[in-house]
Amino acid sequence: MLVITRKAEESIVIDGNIEVIVLGIAKDGVRLGIKAPREVQVHRREVFETIAEANRAATPTSAAPVLEAAALLRSSAPKVRLTKHR
Amino acid sequence: MPQEETILRFPQGLVGFPDRKEFQLFEPTDAYPLKFIQSVEDPDLSFTCMDAAAVKMDYEVPLDESTARTLALEDPKDALVLLLMVVPEDPSQMTADLAGPLVINAKTQIGVQVVLDSQRFPLQYPVFNAKDDVLIDFPAGLVGFPRIHSFRLFEPAGGYPLKFLQSVEDPDISFTCMDVAAIRPDYEVPLGEEDASVLALEAPIDALVLALVVIPEDPRKMTANLAGPLVINAKTRIGRQVILNTEQYPLKFPILASH
């Protein structure tokens, strides 16, 4: 891993088009600013991991009862709603 | 739920057939999900129909008090709603009549054909409209899967309302998902500037929002990920997984408990 020391308001450039700027250093953390092209997704690691894990969980195993689940969903769909006036 | 060969009684007949009051309901397993009703008085008269929920999950029949009284419907859950189907020579062009649903009290087997406003409820709703295979490009991949971009979105046979999103590059990778509108009609995705610009959505109506679905061994416990919706521009077929605040948008929303 590359380790670089930076002071507040200094930055690093990644791949020519992504800039990570140290905005401020405080007791409880470092504030970073990120300038990147719009298609580059930037996430906090723990959020990224959580969503990635949730994505992996949504890849069905061959044993997943998909059709049974679909039938349950259909039977739970709303059917009629009682109204006072048509 | 009516079993095979149930007799349904329509005290007012069907629209255009006021004196046909008894119909036998057939649910041949090899024709699933199609069902048939055949007039007892006139066996030459029969109709093809389908459970409304199998056509359109969020379809709901507004039922006035007098119709509810005719049906003696105490609990909306007792209602069985069938839609009449038109099956042309090319079955992929099949349509359902959303304006004239048959509402049946499953407890008493008494039914009424309800006539709805065809401006709001189409007479010829194309059943397979949304069921075609489409290719969708996710330029950034999905979170945790950055290197797969091209996906096939399709509905497995008998799997409505579930869909599969399968990687074109690696067909072993696929995800189960469904239209968020069928889970939470009030769900809205706050789109950040970056997300909106990648998706290039011109109008909110162009957005198809899917939630990834986790189906455990006990399917009653299935959950939807509302924190990482897949937003797709239906016009350009470009999609993006949007990451929302997991404190506000649950990662594991119990789908069946919500109904």
Side-chain angles (χ1 to χ4, degrees), chain B residues 12 141 214 228 258:
Chain B
Q12 302 155 355
V214 179
S258 72

Side-chain angles (χ1 to χ4, degrees), chain A residues 4-41:
Chain A
I4 304 170
T5 304
R6 299 276 69 192
K7 298 191 176 103
E9 287 170 44
E10 291 182 341
S11 68
I12 60 168
V13 175
I14 301 166
D15 212 18
N17 59 356
I18 299 169
E19 186 176 15
V20 181
I21 308 145
V22 179
L23 296 175
I25 303 165
K27 245 189 288 172
D28 52 351
V30 179
R31 274 165 59 78
L32 300 175
I34 295 132
K35 285 186 192 163
R38 289 181 188 282
E39 66 275 11
V40 174
Q41 295 191 319

Side-chain angles (χ1 to χ4, degrees), chain B residues 11-142:
Chain B
Q12 302 155 355
L14 300 190
V15 176
F17 303 92
D19 51 353
R20 300 287 177 258
K21 298 181 193 298
E22 290 201 348
F23 288 84
Q24 190 161 19
L25 175 69
F26 298 93
E27 303 182 49
T29 45
D30 54 352
Y32 176 86
L34 295 177
K35 303 180 185 202
F36 302 92
I37 57 168
Q38 182 182 34
S39 166
V40 173
E41 292 103 337
D42 174 9
D44 285 344
L45 180 69
S46 68
F47 299 93
T48 309
C49 45
M50 225 167 122
D51 271 331
V55 174
K56 199 170 182 300
M57 271 290 288
D58 54 356
Y59 179 76
E60 207 176 28
V61 181
L63 211 59
D64 59 39
E65 275 173 0
S66 78
T67 312
R69 219 173 300 125
T70 309
L71 287 168
L73 198 62
E74 285 162 9
D75 183 345
K77 286 198 175 69
D78 293 335
L80 168 70
V81 179
L82 297 177
L83 298 176
L84 297 180
M85 310 294 297
V86 177
V87 187
E89 217 168 302
D90 173 3
S92 73
Q93 302 298 312
M94 184 159 67
T95 60
D97 173 8
L98 301 190
L102 307 181
V103 180
I104 295 143
N105 182 336
K107 279 194 175 155
T108 60
Q109 270 109 56
I110 290 186
V112 167
Q113 183 168 26
V114 178
V115 179
L116 301 175
D117 175 10
S118 59
Q119 299 286 325
R120 273 184 62 208
F121 296 92
L123 285 158
Q124 296 182 315
Y125 179 79
V127 177
F128 289 105
N129 211 12
K131 309 202 173 195
D132 293 341
D133 258 45
V134 287
L135 283 181
I136 297 177
D137 187 45
F138 283 78
L142 301 194

